Amino acid sequence: MASKEYYELYRQSSIGLALIDTLDAMVHDGRIEPQLAMKIVSTFDRVITEVLADKVKARLSFKGHLDTYRFCDEVWTFLIKDANFKLDNQSNIQAEKVKIVSCNSKKPGET
């Protein structure tokens, strides 16, 4: 049975980067094998995707100026300037620049 592959987007999040830095240090110190580190990162890809899909119910809306957009390999990327986010609790967050990456929940070819 082939294992399902997951997007690697969350590896660039703060928690993903911290995990990878920690695993790199452990491999460098000889505490774990590189294959185990790769297995842990693959498990992270799966678990973070599943948890965010199942547990996060918060919503937000945003406005801003669309600077750039592109669609390549079934992935949308939007660069927004002067973004204003309105959260469920009605608080606002402003950002000068925001990059939004959006992927299908299933990779091409999956049923």
Side-chain angles (χ1 to χ4, degrees):
M1 178 165 138
S3 64
K4 183 176 177 183
E5 291 187 34
Y6 292 85
Y7 289 108
E8 300 174 359
L9 293 173
Y10 300 108
R11 293 182 186 186
Q12 295 302 312
S13 67
S14 56
I15 192 169
L17 292 172
L19 174 64
I20 290 169
D21 286 346
T22 301
L23 292 171
D24 285 345
M26 293 176 81
V27 168
H28 184 272
D29 293 343
R31 296 172 62 196
I32 64 172
E33 296 293 322
Q35 296 84 355
L36 178 57
M38 291 172 53
K39 175 77 171 154
I40 292 169
V41 172
S42 292
T43 301
F44 170 78
D45 293 338
R46 177 182 57 82
V47 171
I48 193 83
T49 300
E50 291 171 356
V51 168
L52 289 174
D54 294 340
K55 304 292 183 193
V56 177
K57 303 297 180 204
R59 302 248 184 231
L60 65 80
S61 61
F62 67 93
K63 291 183 181 180
H65 301 285
L66 180 62
D67 183 52
T68 306
Y69 67 94
R70 65 181 74 89
F71 181 69
C72 182
D73 296 331
E74 299 292 320
V75 177
W76 280 102
T77 304
F78 301 95
L79 300 175
I80 313 287
K81 288 187 175 178
D82 302 320
N84 185 15
F85 293 88
K86 188 173 188 177
L87 307 177
D88 276 345
N89 63 6
Q90 302 302 315
S91 63
N92 289 317
I93 299 173
Q94 294 182 340
E96 187 177 320
K97 294 181 189 176
V98 175
K99 180 178 182 180
I100 299 172
V101 179
S102 177
C103 303
N104 289 331
S105 61
K106 294 184 180 184
K107 287 190 170 186
E110 286 184 352
T111 57

